[in-house]
């Protein structure tokens, strides 16, 4: 029978004792309490919430099914690493002041901030998003080696006045839908210099994305649309 931990301290002790897959009960926690390390998978019950501004340095662990919430500030911040699956990030900002500490992966996640959705200022590593939903002001820094997005959706959440993405570095955007309804400031922009952005199978409001819909505010960039 699996043990479902009801406190961060108990879960931390289990990891220290060698547990690699742990289960966290519904409730409110601080991410810093858990003592995460590489190879650990934390499976969260519905209603598991990490409150406040969570520093997302999880040392290469995997978190599944959690909500990161900070109604008065940023839900996720700082150096980011590890894998996040089926997670929701919500607050005044979802992710802000973030840096890719190593390869970072988000799968089936939702980023919904009152202003910022996902905002990575840098980090010289890869950043991967699969089947994720974004709203708000989204920007990905130029120091990131490569941003890959696959099967994602951008849409307005009725909170932020923005909807779209600024790409400051090289990116591969695959089978991603941009839903623009004209009620907020909306864009798809290349902003860095001497970068390569490749869009494959992407759409705007259901129609194929065209080059005229991608702004280029840098120099020496290469845009490819398939």
């Amino acid at each position: 029978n699996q043990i479902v931990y009801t406190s961060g301290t108990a879960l931390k002790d289990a990891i220290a004792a060698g547990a690699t897959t742990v289960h966290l009960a519904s409730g409110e926690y601080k991410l810093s309490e858990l003592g995460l390390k590489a190879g650990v998978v934390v499976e969260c019950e519905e209603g598991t919430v990490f409150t406040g501004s969570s520093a997302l340095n999880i040392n290469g662990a995997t978190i599944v099914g959690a909500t990161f919430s900070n109604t008065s500030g940023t839900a996720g911040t700082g150096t980011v690493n590890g894998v996040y699956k089926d997670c929701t990030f919500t607050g005044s900002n979802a992710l802000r002041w973030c840096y890719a500490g190593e390869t970072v992966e988000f799968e089936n996640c939702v980023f919904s901030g009152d202003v910022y959705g996902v905002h990575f200022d840098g980090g010289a590593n890869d950043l991967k998003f699969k089947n994720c939903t974004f709203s708000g002001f989204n920007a990905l820094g130029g120091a990131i080696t490569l941003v890959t997005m696959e099967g994602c959706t951008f849409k307005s959440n009725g909170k932020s006045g923005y909807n779209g993405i600024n790409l400051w570095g090289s990116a591969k955007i695959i089978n991603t839908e941009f839903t623009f309804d004209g009620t907020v400031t909306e864009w798809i922009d290349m902003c860095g210099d001497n970068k390569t952005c490749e869009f494959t199978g992407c759409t705007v409001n259901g129609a194929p994305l065209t080059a005229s819909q991608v702004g280029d505010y840098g120099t020496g960039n290469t845009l490819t649309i398939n």
Side-chain angles (χ1 to χ4, degrees):
N1 294 332
Q2 71 181 27
I3 299 173
V4 179
Y5 296 97
T6 58
S7 77
T9 299
L11 187 142
K12 181 179 180 178
D13 290 344
I15 292 171
T20 55
T21 299
V22 290
H23 303 270
L24 190 57
S26 174
E28 293 189 359
Y29 303 90
K30 299 292 185 183
L31 190 60
S32 58
E33 299 172 338
L34 305 188
L36 300 180
K37 58 185 180 181
V40 171
V41 177
V42 181
E43 297 182 344
C44 301
E45 289 187 344
E46 185 176 356
T48 299
V49 181
F50 294 104
T51 60
S53 186
S54 296
L56 298 180
N57 185 346
I58 60 173
N59 301 314
T62 298
I63 295 179
V64 183
T67 294
F68 296 80
S69 178
N70 189 356
T71 56
S72 61
T74 299
T77 189
T79 299
V80 185
N81 57 39
V83 178
Y84 301 81
K85 295 183 177 181
D86 304 316
C87 292
T88 297
F89 300 83
T90 181
S92 297
N93 303 307
L95 268 63
R96 183 73 174 99
W97 309 117
C98 289
Y99 301 84
E102 54 188 63
T103 297
V104 186
E105 298 184 25
F106 296 93
E107 184 175 345
N108 299 322
C109 292
V110 176
F111 306 92
S112 179
D114 294 348
V115 179
Y116 288 100
V118 171
H119 197 292
F120 272 75
D121 293 271
N125 293 280
D126 289 351
L127 185 56
K128 300 178 180 181
F129 299 92
K130 185 175 182 180
N131 299 331
C132 293
T133 300
F134 305 85
S135 55
F137 191 119
N138 301 284
L140 299 171
I144 298 169
T145 305
L146 178 67
V147 172
T148 303
M149 291 186 173
E150 183 175 0
C152 295
T153 302
F154 288 81
K155 61 183 181 180
S156 175
N157 61 0
K159 299 176 182 178
S160 176
Y162 304 95
N163 176 19
I165 188 169
N166 287 335
L167 297 166
W168 289 86
S170 294
K172 291 185 177 181
I173 314 298
I174 305 162
N175 296 334
T176 288
E177 165 71 10
F178 297 89
T179 303
F180 293 160
D181 62 9
T183 61
V184 298
T185 301
E186 297 165 318
W187 71 91
I188 308 167
D189 289 342
M190 297 188 301
C191 298
D193 298 328
N194 303 312
K195 304 298 183 181
T196 299
C197 290
E198 180 179 346
F199 293 82
T200 301
C202 297
T203 59
V204 176
N205 296 340
L209 173 74
T210 65
S212 64
Q213 294 170 311
V214 181
D216 187 351
Y217 294 91
T219 58
N221 290 321
T222 299
L223 171 65
T224 302
I225 297 180
N226 300 314

